[in-house]
Amino acid sequence: LNDPGLDITAGEEFLQEVFQILLEEGVRKSSDVTQKVCDWKEPQELRELLDLELRSDGEGRERLLQRCRDVLRFSVRTGHPRFFNQLFSGLDHHALAGRFLTETLNTSPYTYEVAPVLVLMEEQVLAKLRELVGWSSGDGIFAPGGSISNMLAMNVARFRRFPESRSRGNWDLPRLGLFASQESHYSILKGAALLGIGTDNVHLVQTDERGKMIPEELEKEIQRVKAEGSEPLFVCATSGTTVLGAFDPLDAIADVCARHGLWLHVDAAWGGSALLSPQLHPLLAGIHRSDSVTWNPHKLLMVGLQCSAFLLHDSSGLLQRCHGVGASYLFQRDKFYDVSLDTGDKSPQCGRRADGLKLWILWKAVGTQGLGRRVERAFAATRYLLEQVKRREGFQLVMEPEFINLCFWFIPPSLRGQESSLEFWDKLGKVAPAIKEKMIRRGSMMVGYQPRGSQVNFFRQVITNPAVTCQDLDFFLDEIQELGWDL
């Protein structure tokens, strides 16, 4: 015990070599359009290539460095300009620097004493996000993803109406009713299950042809649930649905919630970043009337996974009262500094990542206007792609996009002219999966597909990466056309 148990010099040398690998393989190649998006391997082949077995003896430096290269080589390059598969993509160097700092510091922003810089950064970032929502005061916390942020909203809404639920549980509460649109994120159902409210008590409200919640249908559902003896509690409106990118009419929904005294939560995980653009801000008109908001900067702002803010309009300490238990070994009240900066008890978590740091650094680097331009560029790229889809034979829109979700079918030559046949849609539903398999095996690009209601599988293309150019978008359509031509 007289000497360190680690070889610090060797460790630093190892890190220097790993950083070079990260820069070359993880950063440069990840954003290089001449590289593959993925080097696809079947699971068993990949298991053998990676040699995943954990043994009793450690390995040497060169072998470990090769393993680092293999991790990067065989992983999907989500920073690639032709990765369109998720609502996150791209690589921002400033935000990545923030992620390096977070991992190096290896601390949790639950108390000021162990994370003084990070706590103050989180406080500032949350305040700025609330300001963009339209609130001059409020509260909030960073959560591990939009799903958990939505669940926090449900839990806080229940606590405000029934504070005894914190100690007594659900057993003596009335049957509660939650409301969300048919296009809402599945985390609302998961949250109802996790919180003991029950998925049967989530009432999915009808949407219009564009995927927006119909306020009149919300009113009907609330009245129906009341008549059945349940107690309506919570409405989740969506600003930027996952598939179509639809924005629910927040002002009209807020009117319904006000009439019935319901908590209004806005899931703006995807669309919240439109608040940074004067051009797109009107999509979220009325968001200031909500009680809480979910906003994921790791999506459209390209901050990097994960960065999800749960924002609360209430400034009375509701979040603390709902979740806090005041662990005496962590949240002592007789500390020598302002203990209101010990914010960790607002969260159901104990250990938390300092997810505000990377957003703070990115914001410092490009400013609010720079972030807004990033959103507007993605919107403009979608408009460009939309016009190209309209011009090309064999491409058919699912509907005109409102935001940055472009949904379309590709109809191979063998199916054209058969639209009136009974078999057409069944065959068309198999086209997108077949094209996607080909592109992944080729490694040329990656894009998502899904069905919706009676509509068979279609592609959903989303652009968040500022590195994407018109040439990449032209390639995207050319590749789909080539891969699907003979289907």
Side-chain angles (χ1 to χ4, degrees):
L1 297 178
N2 291 325
D3 297 309
L6 295 172
D7 188 336
I8 296 174
T9 301
E12 290 181 356
E13 291 174 355
F14 177 73
L15 279 179
Q16 288 177 350
E17 295 187 76
V18 170
F19 287 148
Q20 289 302 313
I21 293 171
L22 284 172
L23 185 60
E24 181 60 33
E25 299 287 338
V27 176
R28 289 176 183 154
K29 288 186 178 180
S30 178
S31 55
D32 183 350
V33 74
T34 67
Q35 299 290 318
K36 288 185 174 183
V37 173
C38 66
D39 185 0
W40 177 258
K41 305 294 180 187
E42 295 297 333
Q44 188 53 43
E45 181 185 5
L46 189 57
R47 289 188 185 98
E48 294 171 0
L49 285 170
L50 295 176
D51 183 20
L52 296 170
E53 183 181 350
L54 300 173
R55 301 178 177 88
S56 57
D57 294 328
E59 297 180 337
R61 187 183 65 175
E62 288 303 320
R63 191 72 187 95
L64 290 175
L65 291 172
Q66 183 57 48
R67 295 201 181 283
C68 292
R69 293 186 187 94
D70 289 344
V71 168
L72 294 167
R73 175 187 170 192
F74 296 118
S75 293
V76 176
R77 293 187 168 116
T78 63
H80 197 286
R82 293 172 184 172
F83 175 84
F84 305 106
N85 206 66
Q86 256 61 51
L87 296 182
F88 65 86
S89 68
L91 188 152
D92 183 274
H93 299 84
H94 298 102
L96 182 58
R99 293 153 78 184
F100 287 154
L101 288 170
T102 299
E103 294 302 314
T104 303
L105 289 171
N106 189 39
T107 191
S108 173
Y110 43 33
T111 65
Y112 181 81
E113 65 181 284
V114 297
V117 174
L118 304 178
V119 165
L120 295 181
M121 283 181 175
E122 183 173 276
E123 177 185 63
Q124 177 61 35
V125 171
L126 291 170
K128 193 65 178 179
L129 294 176
R130 288 195 301 269
E131 177 187 320
L132 289 165
V133 169
W135 301 335
S136 58
S137 62
D139 204 349
I141 200 82
F142 279 96
S147 291
I148 301 300
S149 290
N150 288 342
M151 294 176 198
L152 291 180
M154 298 162 70
N155 198 39
V156 172
R158 179 177 60 180
F159 174 77
R160 186 185 68 169
R161 178 81 67 84
F162 302 103
E164 68 275 16
S165 65
R166 173 187 158 96
S167 56
R168 296 176 62 83
N170 285 337
W171 71 274
D172 63 347
L173 296 183
R175 185 171 184 172
L176 303 178
L178 312 180
F179 303 85
S181 85
Q182 294 171 335
E183 300 285 336
S184 61
H185 193 258
Y186 65 84
S187 57
I188 304 302
L189 288 166
K190 282 195 171 188
L194 180 67
L195 295 172
I197 294 172
T199 56
D200 288 349
N201 298 312
V202 176
H203 306 281
L204 299 181
V205 180
Q206 186 178 342
T207 57
D208 64 17
E209 69 281 357
R210 298 195 60 80
K212 300 170 180 283
M213 183 191 291
I214 302 173
E216 294 78 10
E217 294 298 323
L218 172 62
E219 177 71 37
K220 290 178 184 177
E221 277 295 297
I222 292 170
Q223 296 289 5
R224 182 184 65 79
V225 168
K226 282 185 174 180
E228 292 176 352
S230 295
E231 182 152 352
L233 172 72
F234 172 95
V235 174
C236 177
T238 309
S239 290
T241 57
T242 305
V243 176
L244 298 180
F247 286 74
D248 290 340
L250 300 182
D251 265 323
I253 293 171
D255 289 342
V256 176
C257 291
R259 279 197 298 273
H260 295 279
L262 306 185
W263 183 285
L264 174 57
H265 174 67
V266 178
D267 178 1
W270 173 226
S273 296
L275 291 170
L276 289 153
S277 163
Q279 173 190 351
L280 299 171
H281 192 286
L283 290 171
L284 295 101
I287 193 171
H288 65 284
R289 300 177 62 188
S290 62
D291 295 288
S292 57
V293 171
T294 290
W295 184 346
N296 284 10
H298 72 237
K299 289 187 166 76
L300 194 48
L301 297 185
M302 217 172 63
V303 175
L305 289 165
Q306 58 195 13
C307 187
S308 176
F310 172 63
L311 307 174
L312 190 65
H313 196 186
D314 178 273
S315 57
S316 70
L318 183 63
L319 199 55
Q320 174 78 31
R321 296 196 307 276
C322 179
H323 296 129
V325 294
S328 59
Y329 65 88
L330 195 58
F331 302 112
Q332 304 94 331
R333 307 306 298 173
D334 55 356
K335 291 179 178 179
F336 63 93
Y337 59 84
D338 179 5
V339 294
S340 67
L341 293 170
D342 289 355
T343 56
D345 224 12
K346 295 178 182 180
S347 170
Q349 298 172 260
C350 180
R352 286 193 304 121
R353 293 173 57 90
D355 290 325
L357 169 58
K358 53 200 170 189
L359 177 55
W360 183 88
I361 286 188
L362 173 60
W363 213 315
K364 281 288 190 180
V366 304
T368 305
Q369 291 184 348
L371 293 176
R373 285 193 294 270
R374 182 168 292 184
V375 177
E376 290 169 356
R377 190 183 194 281
F379 186 78
T382 302
R383 299 300 105 180
Y384 173 84
L385 187 63
L386 170 64
E387 293 307 314
Q388 300 308 307
V389 166
K390 287 180 176 180
R391 291 173 184 166
R392 294 201 182 207
E393 185 180 4
F395 288 85
Q396 181 177 324
L397 285 175
V398 174
M399 66 177 60
E400 288 275 343
E402 182 175 30
F403 193 44
I404 306 176
N405 302 47
L406 186 63
C407 300
F408 64 91
W409 291 284
F410 175 71
I411 305 173
S414 63
L415 294 181
R416 294 173 197 172
Q418 301 180 33
E419 286 81 355
S420 60
S421 71
L422 295 176
E423 295 181 308
F424 172 77
W425 290 104
D426 179 60
K427 291 180 179 178
L428 184 61
K430 300 173 183 177
V431 170
I435 292 176
K436 179 161 185 176
E437 179 182 352
K438 288 184 177 182
M439 72 174 68
I440 290 179
R441 291 188 181 281
R442 182 182 283 190
S444 57
M445 62 185 194
M446 198 176 288
V447 65
Y449 72 84
Q450 65 284 304
R452 175 182 174 262
S454 61
Q455 294 169 318
V456 300
N457 286 321
F458 54 84
F459 289 111
R460 179 204 61 174
Q461 208 268 19
V462 289
I463 302 167
T464 64
N465 187 350
V468 172
T469 65
C470 292
Q471 290 76 21
D472 294 314
L473 299 176
D474 292 339
F475 174 88
F476 171 77
L477 296 179
D478 290 341
E479 187 76 348
I480 285 179
Q481 196 164 9
E482 178 185 338
L483 295 175
W485 191 260
D486 294 329
L487 292 178

